[in-house]
């Protein structure tokens, strides 16, 4: 659609065609003649197509759907205005700001960064305290039944408790905040790419995300709280940036200056990095995660503020860990935060150890890509189930909960008990408590159940157990194989149900299982500890699935607290990512595509250099433009009958300053739909068509008001007499929109569009002169997506070899 960032409209979808509407058709006759010639001479070689020749075989108009899945809810999406709108009001506001006001603006950004870190750290602490205590007391109760050999009562208790916790989390998500389902990271990544995701960062979503994460993780489901913590940090940032919820919001003038898309983007970036820091106690890793994975646009000032936010988070977490270490937090103790300290372990590896390390990376890349492929199929299946309604979503979640509970309780009974090492103290082996590497479970005194030590514990404790060092014989290969297969199955079928869920922890547990298996297989041929093999396995599977390298490397270094692991960790991550990229995209990119979010990748397709933006403009619907001084009735008709968000403003018969009275058409700039609605809402009308003075506009509007997005056209009422009045659009028009010449390749235009974080990109003609309209069309993100272009030019991406075979 033209200006494809569309908003819901109650009117028809037809375009307004009058003397201000221009259909670019200068090359249409050439296209038709070339197409006729192509039919007679056979298909041309698309790869060798010149940029000076129009591409052939158009089969429909360039358009796209604007519906996408946000969380578990189908929403109408549009793009965000990250570009600075340099209209007269903005310039006047910037000139009028004193040095004190500019310092207040900078201080407010740092204050909000501090508040984001503080609140994210506090909420992360609450979530960890709740999960450790709820899950801890549940496991202690069930463990008591097992010791009394009341096995059926233990199964009923465990299954019933998990059932109720899952039910609470699912009901909250399904009925109160569907956008709280899943990790939220794909939607955050889309938002920072320039896509608005409605209801994603509101107060109900934040509340449900917190309570739902506690319920889902405490229920023992194969998911983590790391992804939800990233979403929670982003929700906090968005609410702080806009001064509260939509109904209850701070209206202070000095605070409202932050209520715009550009500043909110920076705050949400700080929130995402704070969430990763809260999940892994990794401040530097959190910053690098935001830079590498979620942020599309970055600058040095943002780097400092994100680092400041993560520093605040880690201070808050450390303070609570010190407080809880004395037993003041129930069963929390030393648990609740994944921190695997191996600083006291001497890491030694020989040249021959590079072979198993490289093999771990290879396995991680293959399994990670396979995991992505199967998960994609499962999510498609779940989408069909979820279409049946809310009851189907609840039943699906509860079915997964029951299956998980039965497997985790029943499978340890199928493995044999292992006698405790006599060198271990009796308090460390054959324990019946909530934590510990050697859990007794159903075994007699002096024996332990290795599979029960992994399954009959929280996911965080399972990580510590499987990462444990100097425990070469603790886990049997058969138990690790069962654990790996089970968590592969649970990971695939748990992600996608209607609860807040994260991918980090399930992937860490799966990877650590096969990493430790490989360490056992190497035996005496390696000098690397089994626990360190588990760490490398977890890193390899995460890189193979999520395709992150730098941030993962730093996160694992901050988790292990041992720089000696750096060389082998880097090698594993590089191999795993390289192998995974050979098969499919990262898991978050797959989810973005599955949800229908129009994310723009950093690298354009190679065939995009064979098509020009002028050819895209030729297959778009007619361009709708406005005059500099426009009639109110025409503006209302345009807003009712189109869903475009940007309109070129064209002035006729403008005298060229450097000429001797020569007149021409002028592209004055681009005006946004929200600005038109703001003008109509305030009824800033003129009796006669004329240009206004700057002082007339300043008394009625401010740049801060125009930057806000909560203006709805349906709420504006225009009388019949007002329809005959006029509006001067010049003060509200962005006089410096980004433009490209019609001969520019789509690849180059896409790079510019993404790097500058644009919403609209005007296409201007190569030649200027009398009778030539100053603008050909408007490009939006939907027009630059490879899938949408290929629907119009179906043969554009066909390999050269296949063309020659024909």
């Amino acid at each position: 659609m033209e200006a494809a960032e569309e908003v819901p409209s109650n009117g028809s979808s037809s375009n307004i065609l009058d003397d201000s509407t221009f259909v670019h058709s200068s090359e249409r006759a050439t296209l038709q003649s070339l197409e006729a010639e192509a039919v007679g001479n056979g298909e041309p070689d698309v790869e060798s197509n010149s940029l000076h020749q129009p591409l052939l075989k158009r089969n429909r108009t360039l358009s796209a759907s604007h519906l996408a899945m946000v969380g578990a809810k189908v929403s109408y999406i549009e793009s965000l205005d990250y570009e600075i709108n340099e209209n007269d009001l903005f310039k006047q506001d910037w000139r009028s700001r004193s040095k004190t006001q500019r310092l207040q603006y900078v201080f407010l950004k740092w204050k909000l960064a501090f508040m984001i870190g503080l609140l994210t750290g506090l909420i992360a602490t609450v979530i960890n305290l709740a999960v450790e205590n709820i899950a801890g007391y549940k496991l202690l109760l069930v463990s008591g039944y097992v010791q009394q050999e009341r096995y059926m009562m233990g199964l009923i208790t465990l299954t019933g408790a998990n059932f109720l916790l899952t039910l609470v989390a699912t009901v909250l998500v399904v009925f109160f905040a569907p956008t709280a389902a899943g990790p939220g990271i794909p939607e955050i990544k889309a938002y920072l790419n320039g896509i608005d995701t409605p209801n994603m960062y509101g107060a109900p979503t934040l509340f449900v995300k917190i309570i739902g994460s506690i319920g889902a993780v405490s229920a023992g489901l194969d998911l983590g709280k790391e992804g939800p913590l990233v979403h929670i940090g982003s929700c906090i940032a968005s609410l702080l940036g806009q001064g509260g919820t939509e109904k209850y919001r701070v209206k202070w003038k000095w605070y409202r200056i932050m209520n715009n898309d550009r500043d909110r983007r920076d705050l949400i970036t700080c929130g995402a990095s704070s969430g990763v820091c809260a999940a892994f106690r990794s401040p530097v890793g959190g910053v690098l995660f935001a830079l590498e994975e979620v942020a599309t646009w970055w600058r040095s000032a943002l780097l400092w503020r994100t680092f400041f936010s993560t520093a605040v988070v880690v201070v808050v977490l450390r303070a609570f860990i010190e407080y809880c270490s004395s037993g003041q937090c129930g069963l929390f103790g030393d648990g609740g935060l994944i921190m695997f300290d191996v600083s006291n372990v001497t890491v030694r590896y020989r040249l021959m150890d590079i072979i198993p390390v490289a093999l771990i990376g290879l396995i991680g890349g293959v399994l990670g890509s396979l995991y992505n492929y199967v998960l994609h199929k499962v999510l498609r299946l779940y989408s069909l189930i979820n279409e049946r309604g809310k009851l189907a979503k609840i039943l699906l979640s509860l079915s997964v909960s029951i299956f998980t509970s039965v497997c985790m309780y029943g499978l340890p009974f199928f493995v044999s008990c292992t006698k405790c090492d006599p060198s271990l103290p009796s308090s460390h082996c054959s324990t019946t408590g909530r934590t510990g590497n050697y859990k007794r479970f159903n075994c007699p005194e002096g024996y332990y159940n290795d599979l029960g030590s992994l399954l009959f514990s929280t996911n965080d404790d399972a990580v510590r157990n499987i990462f444990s060092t100097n425990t070469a014989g603790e886990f049997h290969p058969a138990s690790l194989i069962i654990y790996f297969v089970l968590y592969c199955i649970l990971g695939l079928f748990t992600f996608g149900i209607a609860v807040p869920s994260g991918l980090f922890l399930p992937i860490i547990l799966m990877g650590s299982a096969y990493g430790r298996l490989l360490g056992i297989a190497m035996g005496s041929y390696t000098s690397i500890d089994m626990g360190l093999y588990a760490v490398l396995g977890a890193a390899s599977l995460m890189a193979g699935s999520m395709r992150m390298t730098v941030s993962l490397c730093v996160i694992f270094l901050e988790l292990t607290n041992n720089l000696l692991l750096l060389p082998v960790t880097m090698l594993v991550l590089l191999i795993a990512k390289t192998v995974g990229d050979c098969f499919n995209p990262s898991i978050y990119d797959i989810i973005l595509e599955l949800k229908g979010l129009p994310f723009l990748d950093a690298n354009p397709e190679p065939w995009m250099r064979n098509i020009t933006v002028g050819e895209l403009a030729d297959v778009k619907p007619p361009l709708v433009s406005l005059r500099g001084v426009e009639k109110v009735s025409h503006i209302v008709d345009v807003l009712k009958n189109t869903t475009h968000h940007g309109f070129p403003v064209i002035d006729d018969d403008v005298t060229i300053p450097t000429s001797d009275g020569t007149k021409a058409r002028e592209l004055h700039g681009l005006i946004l739909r929200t600005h038109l609605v703001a003008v109509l809402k305030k009824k800033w009308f003129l009796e006669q068509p004329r240009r206004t003075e700057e002082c007339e506009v300043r008394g009625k509007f401010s740049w801060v008001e125009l930057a806000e997005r909560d203006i709805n056209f349906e709420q504006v009422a225009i009388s019949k007499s007002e329809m005959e009045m006029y509006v001067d659009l010049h003060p509200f028009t962005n006089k410096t929109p980004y433009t490209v010449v019609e001969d520019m390749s789509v690849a180059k235009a896409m790079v510019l569009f993404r790097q500058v974080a644009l919403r609209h990109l005007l296409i201007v003609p190569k030649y200027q002169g009398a009778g030539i309209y100053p603008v050909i069309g408007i490009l939006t993100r939907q027009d630059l997506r490879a899938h949408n272009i290929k629907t119009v030019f179906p043969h554009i991406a066909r390999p050269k070899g296949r063309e020659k075979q024909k």
Side-chain angles (χ1 to χ4, degrees):
M1 303 285 291
E2 183 68 50
E5 285 59 59
E6 302 177 354
V7 294
S9 173
N10 293 331
S12 64
S13 59
S14 61
N15 291 301
I16 305 298
L17 298 177
D18 60 3
D19 55 359
S20 67
T21 303
F22 178 77
V23 182
H24 179 65
S25 57
S26 60
E27 296 178 347
R28 194 176 302 277
T30 305
L31 279 169
Q32 291 174 351
S33 62
L34 285 174
E35 286 174 354
E37 182 181 350
V39 173
N41 299 335
E43 294 182 1
D45 186 1
V46 177
E47 291 295 320
S48 62
N49 184 45
S50 171
L51 290 180
H52 299 288
Q53 299 175 354
L55 286 167
L56 311 179
K57 298 181 185 280
R58 300 190 315 273
N59 64 352
R60 58 175 65 89
T61 301
L62 182 62
S63 61
S65 171
H66 300 281
L67 296 176
M69 289 290 296
V70 180
K73 180 181 179 182
V74 178
S75 301
Y76 199 100
I77 59 171
E78 56 177 301
S79 288
L80 299 166
D81 296 308
Y82 288 155
E83 179 187 357
I84 295 178
N85 199 308
E86 291 186 340
N87 53 30
D88 292 342
L89 291 172
F90 171 80
K91 293 177 180 178
Q92 172 60 30
D93 178 80
W94 190 255
R95 288 194 301 265
S96 63
R97 289 186 189 181
S98 63
K99 186 176 181 179
T100 302
Q101 289 176 321
R102 295 181 184 180
L103 288 176
Q104 286 178 344
Y105 178 57
V106 174
F107 175 75
L108 180 60
K109 287 185 175 181
W110 285 95
K111 180 180 178 181
L112 290 176
F114 172 80
M115 293 298 298
I116 291 169
L118 177 64
L119 293 177
T120 304
L122 291 174
I123 291 177
T125 302
V126 170
I127 292 176
N128 281 285
L129 285 172
V131 169
E132 291 294 310
N133 281 281
I134 294 174
Y137 284 113
K138 175 190 69 178
L139 294 176
L140 285 177
L141 178 62
V142 176
S143 179
Y145 288 127
V146 174
Q147 296 304 313
Q148 299 171 15
E149 298 185 1
R150 300 172 62 185
Y151 300 129
M152 187 56 65
M153 189 63 188
L155 175 61
I156 294 173
T157 302
L158 181 66
T159 305
N162 292 343
F163 184 92
L164 291 176
L165 290 169
T166 306
L167 180 64
V168 171
T170 306
V171 168
L172 287 175
V173 168
V174 170
F175 289 99
F176 296 99
T179 54
I185 294 178
E187 287 84 355
I188 296 170
K189 190 174 179 179
Y191 186 92
L192 298 180
N193 190 255
I195 306 165
D196 190 17
T197 46
N199 305 315
M200 192 65 188
Y201 307 106
T205 303
L206 175 61
F207 173 78
V208 172
K209 201 78 175 186
I210 295 172
I211 304 300
S213 297
I214 294 174
V217 177
S218 300
L221 297 174
D222 185 18
L223 46 83
K225 53 185 177 292
E226 293 73 29
L229 277 174
V230 177
H231 189 188
I232 288 169
S234 300
C235 289
I236 294 171
S238 179
L239 291 172
L240 287 175
Q242 65 186 17
T245 63
E246 293 184 0
K247 292 184 178 180
Y248 306 100
R249 183 180 300 180
V250 175
K251 295 293 185 179
W252 300 328
K253 183 178 180 181
W254 61 271
Y255 200 93
R256 288 177 63 190
I257 198 171
M258 297 293 296
N259 193 17
N260 59 82
D261 293 339
R262 191 179 182 88
D263 287 323
R264 192 178 298 119
R265 171 190 61 185
D266 293 350
L267 292 176
I268 288 178
T269 305
C270 292
S273 59
S274 299
V276 175
C277 176
F280 296 105
R281 257 172 60 197
S282 174
V284 181
V287 175
L288 293 177
F289 174 84
L291 171 61
E292 182 181 10
E293 182 61 23
V294 297
T296 298
W297 194 79
W298 197 264
R299 66 184 191 279
S300 58
L302 183 59
L303 174 68
W304 282 104
R305 285 200 296 274
T306 54
F307 186 68
F308 177 62
S309 295
T310 57
V312 174
V313 171
V314 81
V315 168
V316 172
L317 294 179
R318 190 64 201 174
F320 273 94
I321 288 174
E322 291 293 334
Y323 175 77
C324 293
S325 61
S326 59
Q328 301 294 322
C329 303
L331 297 178
F332 183 75
D334 296 327
L337 295 170
I338 302 177
M339 186 65 183
F340 176 54
D341 190 353
V342 295
S343 56
N344 58 345
V345 178
T346 303
V347 181
R348 295 190 182 94
Y349 38 84
R350 303 186 298 265
L351 183 61
M352 291 300 296
D353 290 327
I354 298 299
I355 297 176
V357 168
L359 183 60
I360 287 180
L362 179 63
I363 295 173
V366 173
L367 291 181
S369 59
L370 179 62
Y371 182 82
N372 292 356
Y373 174 80
V374 179
L375 184 60
H376 181 224
K377 302 300 181 183
V378 173
L379 291 177
R380 283 190 175 276
L381 173 63
Y382 277 8
S383 66
L384 298 176
I385 297 175
N386 292 333
E387 287 177 358
R388 297 183 176 273
K390 296 179 179 180
L391 181 60
K393 296 179 181 180
I394 295 175
L395 292 177
L396 178 62
S397 299
L398 296 179
S399 300
V400 172
S401 174
I402 294 173
F403 178 74
T404 302
S405 302
V406 172
C407 289
M408 289 189 169
Y409 183 84
L411 286 178
F413 287 94
F414 292 93
V415 300
S416 58
C417 297
T418 305
K419 186 175 178 59
C420 291
D421 190 341
S423 61
L424 291 174
S426 58
S427 59
H428 285 68
C429 189
S430 193
T431 59
T432 57
R434 182 182 59 88
T435 60
N437 280 27
Y438 304 90
K439 285 192 174 181
R440 181 179 171 185
F441 195 62
N442 63 324
C443 298
E445 187 71 30
Y447 290 80
Y448 72 94
N449 189 312
D450 59 342
L451 185 58
S453 300
L454 296 175
L455 293 179
F456 203 67
S457 61
T458 62
N459 287 339
D460 291 355
D461 287 331
V463 171
R464 295 187 187 88
N465 293 344
I466 203 167
F467 278 7
S468 59
T469 55
N470 300 320
T471 55
E474 178 183 356
F475 300 104
H476 294 139
S479 298
L480 290 174
I481 292 173
I482 294 173
Y483 184 77
F484 173 72
V485 173
L486 174 64
Y487 262 72
C488 285
I489 297 173
L490 294 180
L492 290 170
F493 288 98
T494 303
F495 188 81
I497 63 176
V499 296
S501 58
L503 279 171
F504 284 94
L505 206 57
I507 292 178
I508 287 176
L509 290 170
M510 285 186 286
S512 59
Y514 74 72
R516 194 158 186 126
L517 271 171
L518 184 60
I520 294 174
M522 291 299 297
S524 60
Y525 296 100
T526 181
S527 58
I528 302 178
D529 190 90
M530 301 298 141
L532 301 183
Y533 268 110
V535 174
L536 296 177
S540 69
L541 190 59
M542 289 189 72
S545 177
M546 299 181 178
R547 311 296 157 78
M548 295 184 293
T549 53
V550 179
S551 56
L552 275 183
C553 185
V554 174
I555 287 174
F556 272 92
L557 287 180
E558 290 182 302
L559 285 177
T560 57
N561 198 24
N562 196 325
L563 280 174
L564 295 176
L565 279 175
L566 178 61
V568 289
T569 304
M570 292 174 63
L571 179 63
V572 162
L573 293 174
L574 289 172
I575 294 175
K577 183 186 185 304
T578 304
V579 173
D581 285 337
C582 296
F583 295 99
N584 50 31
S586 71
I587 185 61
Y588 291 133
D589 290 339
I590 290 175
I591 296 174
L592 281 169
E593 186 68 26
L594 191 63
K595 286 177 173 288
L597 294 167
F599 185 86
L600 286 183
D601 294 321
N603 301 314
E605 298 287 344
W607 52 262
M608 286 185 175
R609 299 202 177 275
N610 297 334
I611 183 172
T612 65
V613 294
E615 289 167 320
L616 285 186
D618 189 65
V619 296
K620 285 171 62 67
L623 178 69
V624 179
S625 62
L626 299 171
R627 301 183 187 91
V629 180
E630 189 60 83
K631 203 171 184 179
V632 174
S633 59
H634 182 63
I635 296 176
V636 172
D637 287 340
V638 167
L639 294 177
K640 280 185 176 180
N641 298 320
T642 69
T643 53
H644 312 339
H645 195 276
F647 304 92
V649 176
I650 309 295
D651 281 330
D652 295 326
D653 298 329
V654 177
T655 302
I656 301 176
T658 58
S659 67
D660 52 351
T662 305
K663 295 183 179 296
R665 278 176 172 169
E666 176 196 16
L667 172 59
H668 188 75
L670 185 77
I671 190 167
L672 300 180
R673 185 186 188 93
T674 53
H675 295 176
L676 291 174
V677 176
V679 171
L680 296 179
K681 185 177 182 180
K682 286 205 171 185
K683 300 184 182 298
W684 193 68
F685 304 145
L686 304 172
E687 296 288 345
Q688 299 296 328
R690 65 177 179 87
R691 294 195 65 161
T692 57
E693 300 295 332
E694 187 176 299
C695 59
E696 298 181 65
V697 186
R698 287 205 310 266
K700 194 74 174 179
F701 297 92
S702 69
W703 176 77
V704 175
E705 291 176 339
L706 293 180
E708 296 179 350
R709 297 171 54 88
D710 55 351
I711 305 175
N712 193 351
F713 174 65
E714 280 69 25
Q715 299 174 355
V716 179
I718 307 295
S719 66
K720 188 175 181 180
S721 59
E722 291 171 337
M723 286 287 194
E724 302 301 319
M725 295 183 179
Y726 296 87
V727 175
D728 181 15
L729 301 180
H730 294 96
F732 312 97
T733 302
N734 179 12
K735 296 181 179 179
T736 58
Y738 283 88
T739 61
V740 293
V741 183
E742 58 181 325
D743 284 347
M744 179 181 285
S745 69
V746 174
K748 191 173 182 179
M750 177 182 168
V751 172
L752 172 66
F753 194 98
R754 187 181 189 274
Q755 289 184 348
V756 190
L758 299 179
R759 182 171 187 174
H760 304 98
L761 186 61
L762 298 184
I763 307 173
V764 297
K766 182 179 181 180
Y767 302 102
Q768 305 289 336
I772 299 179
Y773 211 70
V775 59
I776 293 174
I778 302 180
L779 287 181
T780 63
R781 70 171 50 249
Q782 294 281 10
D783 304 326
L784 296 172
R785 296 195 68 210
H787 173 76
N788 297 338
I789 296 175
K790 286 190 290 186
T791 59
V792 183
F793 302 100
H795 299 280
I796 184 64
R798 180 171 296 171
K800 188 174 181 180
R802 291 181 58 186
E803 290 287 338
K804 289 183 177 181
Q805 288 176 6
K806 289 191 174 183

